[in-house]
């Protein structure tokens, strides 16, 4: 169809679904592809969603990388005054508390 914004949105939705099913690698791949597309079309909301999704998939194994992605998502969501900012702040606080707390 050629609707790249919708494609990035659907990929982020799929990433969230895979994450909920415990399939972190599949989730991360969908969010990474969504991030690539969202950057190409300059869709800030989808860029933020992708970073947030990637952060959640990385939290158990790589909290530093998760923190980096969460901070990028938080910066964008903050600019957009999005409600996700509260969840991201809590996520970052949990990462700072230590292993297993970030997710």
């Amino acid at each position: 169809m050629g609707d790249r914004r919708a494609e990035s949105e659907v990929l982020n939705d799929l990433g969230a679904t895979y994450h909920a099913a415990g399939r972190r690698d599949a989730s991360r791949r969908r969010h990474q592809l969504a991030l690539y597309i969202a950057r190409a079309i300059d869709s800030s909301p989808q860029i933020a969603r992708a970073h947030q999704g990637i952060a959640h998939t990385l939290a158990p194994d790589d909290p530093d990388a998760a923190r980096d992605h969460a901070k990028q998502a938080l910066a964008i969501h903050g600019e957009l005054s999005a409600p996700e900012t509260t969840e991201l702040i809590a996520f970052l606080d949990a990462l700072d508390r230590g292993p297993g707390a970030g997710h």
Side-chain angles (χ1 to χ4, degrees):
M1 289 182 8
D3 187 347
R4 302 291 279 169
R5 187 209 49 81
E7 186 177 357
S8 66
E9 185 175 347
V10 168
L11 285 164
N12 274 322
D13 290 343
L14 283 170
T17 301
Y18 278 122
H19 190 264
R23 297 184 57 195
R24 286 187 296 131
D25 288 339
S27 174
R28 186 177 309 120
R29 286 192 302 271
R30 291 339 178 265
H31 286 301
Q32 287 169 330
L33 185 52
L35 179 60
Y36 173 79
I37 292 168
R39 281 181 174 156
I41 61 170
D42 196 29
S43 174
S44 295
Q46 294 308 315
I47 292 169
R49 282 188 68 206
H51 277 299
Q52 187 171 356
I54 293 167
H56 283 284
T57 66
L58 290 172
D61 301 321
D62 192 347
D64 290 334
R67 188 175 291 104
D68 290 342
H69 281 281
K71 286 180 179 179
Q72 290 180 66
L74 181 59
I76 295 167
H77 281 313
E79 289 176 10
L80 300 174
S81 299
E84 291 85 355
T85 57
T86 303
E87 187 274 331
L88 280 162
I89 290 168
F91 178 80
L92 285 164
D93 287 345
L95 281 174
D96 289 340
R97 286 192 303 273
H103 184 64

